[in-house]
Amino acid sequence: MTRRERRMREQESAAVTNESAATTASVPRAPKSATAAADDFAAAAAALNFTGERAKAHAEPESETPHASSRQEARRVSTPQRTLNTPFRKFAAATGSIAAVGAIALLAVGVSLPLAAPSAVPAVVADAAGGVAKTPVAADPAEAELQGYVAGDDIETAPLERVEGYEASTFSDIAAVSGISTSGAFFDNDPTADIQWPFAVGTSMSSPFGYRWGRLHEGVDFTPGDGAPIQAIADGVVRTASEAGGAYGVNVYIDHVIDGELVTSHYAHMQYGSLEVVSGQRVEVGDTLGKTGNTGRSYGSHLHFEIRYNDTAIDPLPWLREHANRHYSDDEKAAVAGLETDMLGQGAAE
């Protein structure tokens, strides 16, 4: 091939190349696809550590066609976020949720569980700078159980001082010591009163005042048990104290001044050898006269008790319920003492 023919071919080839370049330049380029754009955005987001995702209130239903899924994915990726969902805001939201759940749990535990004894007690210690700080110190279980002070062997107990004039006895103790049966008791006695019942504590009754077996039973029969001590119902002077009382057996009559009137109390069927008073003796309320027995016309150990006005018997129970457990004032005591001297003679003043 000659030089001229080679030059002509090069010119033809250059012309074809120029024509192809012109054609390519005149044809518009197609835009990048949505997938390519999404890939570019994902690459930029990865470089900036930004995912572009946000929480949804409701999950989107899955698309049945791949084309719809691709469009939704491209729209979700390409749509800019309206709310800046930064890592700090995620961390803050998670921390708040955990704190709320923890507070509710602690409240439930505090309400449901009882208070527990502390396992440590604060001790005050001095630090290196001279300040004072409280440091928890574990409590010794043995010391926690100790509820009292233990004295050493060399400590002597101080002697107890007895308080004179004080009695800690109860009415039940009195009954137990004296042997008075309180079974079936129908009254209460005040051992500090100025007028009392014929027994220091309440006891039972077997027969009331009234007609019995065709004749008047002029008193009431108390049943405190054999040997129970009988006491004077008020201050007075013994009129009669005898072991030869016929149907009454061993019996005592005492004259009293009550409400300005002469009142006589009568105690019958006492044990032989139990009398502790004599005729003409002045007695005080609560003094022991003798012991409950079964002497005279009696069918069991009991006390036949009477109240008499001008030697006429009345029902003792209403009278005792009205007058017993009564306390005199100082003026009343002085008046009674004066009347006893005038009405009962010199024995009342002794």
Side-chain angles (χ1 to χ4, degrees):
M1 179 182 296
T2 62
R3 182 181 298 174
R4 183 178 179 180
E5 290 177 352
R6 191 184 304 113
R7 187 180 299 116
M8 290 178 65
R9 284 192 177 186
E10 290 178 356
Q11 291 177 357
E12 290 176 359
S13 178
V16 172
T17 302
N18 293 335
E19 183 180 359
S20 177
T23 303
T24 302
S26 62
V27 177
R29 293 185 179 181
K32 290 185 179 180
S33 65
T35 303
D39 292 340
D40 294 341
F41 183 81
L48 297 174
N49 195 20
F50 176 68
T51 60
E53 296 180 356
R54 64 177 177 179
K56 290 182 177 292
H58 301 284
E60 292 181 346
E62 295 183 356
S63 176
E64 297 181 356
T65 60
H67 298 288
S69 177
S70 299
R71 287 196 300 269
Q72 291 175 0
E73 181 68 21
R75 184 168 57 253
R76 181 168 60 251
V77 174
S78 60
T79 302
Q81 294 288 340
R82 295 182 179 179
T83 304
L84 184 59
N85 199 7
T86 63
F88 175 78
R89 294 191 62 180
K90 291 182 180 181
F91 174 78
T95 303
S97 300
I98 294 174
V101 173
I104 295 174
L106 289 176
L107 179 61
V109 172
V111 172
S112 61
L113 293 181
L115 292 176
S119 59
V121 294
V124 179
V125 296
D127 56 13
V132 178
K134 290 186 177 180
T135 304
V137 179
D140 188 355
E143 293 181 357
E145 295 177 0
L146 183 60
Q147 300 296 324
Y149 171 73
V150 179
D153 296 337
D154 57 341
I155 302 299
E156 296 183 0
T157 303
L160 297 177
E161 296 182 2
R162 181 180 179 85
V163 180
E164 299 297 334
Y166 175 79
E167 296 181 359
S169 301
T170 63
F171 294 164
S172 299
D173 295 335
I174 295 174
V177 171
S178 61
I180 302 174
S181 173
T182 58
S183 177
F186 68 98
F187 67 89
D188 293 320
N189 183 68
D190 181 359
T192 65
D194 292 298
I195 302 176
Q196 301 182 26
W197 293 75
F199 294 96
V201 294
T203 187
S204 57
M205 180 183 69
S206 61
S207 183
F209 177 89
Y211 280 89
R212 183 181 65 176
W213 305 324
R215 60 185 299 176
L216 180 64
H217 182 233
E218 296 181 334
V220 294
D221 293 342
F222 292 95
T223 52
D226 189 58
I230 302 166
Q231 66 178 18
I233 64 168
D235 294 350
V237 176
V238 177
R239 179 196 295 183
T240 302
S242 173
E243 290 191 350
Y248 290 121
V250 180
N251 68 106
V252 174
Y253 286 88
I254 302 177
D255 292 331
H256 317 273
V257 176
I258 298 175
D259 294 335
E261 297 182 274
L262 179 63
V263 180
T264 302
S265 58
H266 185 205
Y267 314 80
H269 306 309
M270 290 188 283
Q271 290 181 356
Y272 287 115
S274 68
L275 284 177
E276 298 189 17
V277 294
V278 295
S279 298
Q281 177 181 344
R282 186 183 187 280
V283 295
E284 295 182 355
V285 60
D287 286 350
T288 300
L289 307 176
K291 295 181 179 180
T292 304
N294 189 28
T295 60
R297 191 167 62 238
S298 173
Y299 303 96
S301 180
H302 68 284
L303 167 67
H304 175 83
F305 177 77
E306 299 175 356
I307 290 291
R308 291 179 174 270
Y309 279 84
N310 298 323
D311 206 26
T312 300
I314 66 170
D315 190 345
L317 285 186
W319 188 92
L320 285 169
R321 290 192 176 105
E322 179 183 354
H323 294 86
N325 300 332
R326 175 177 170 184
H327 292 263
Y328 290 145
S329 65
D330 293 340
D331 294 339
E332 288 174 332
K333 286 182 179 181
V336 169
L339 289 173
E340 286 178 346
T341 301
D342 295 340
M343 299 174 68
L344 302 180
Q346 187 63 29
E350 296 178 356

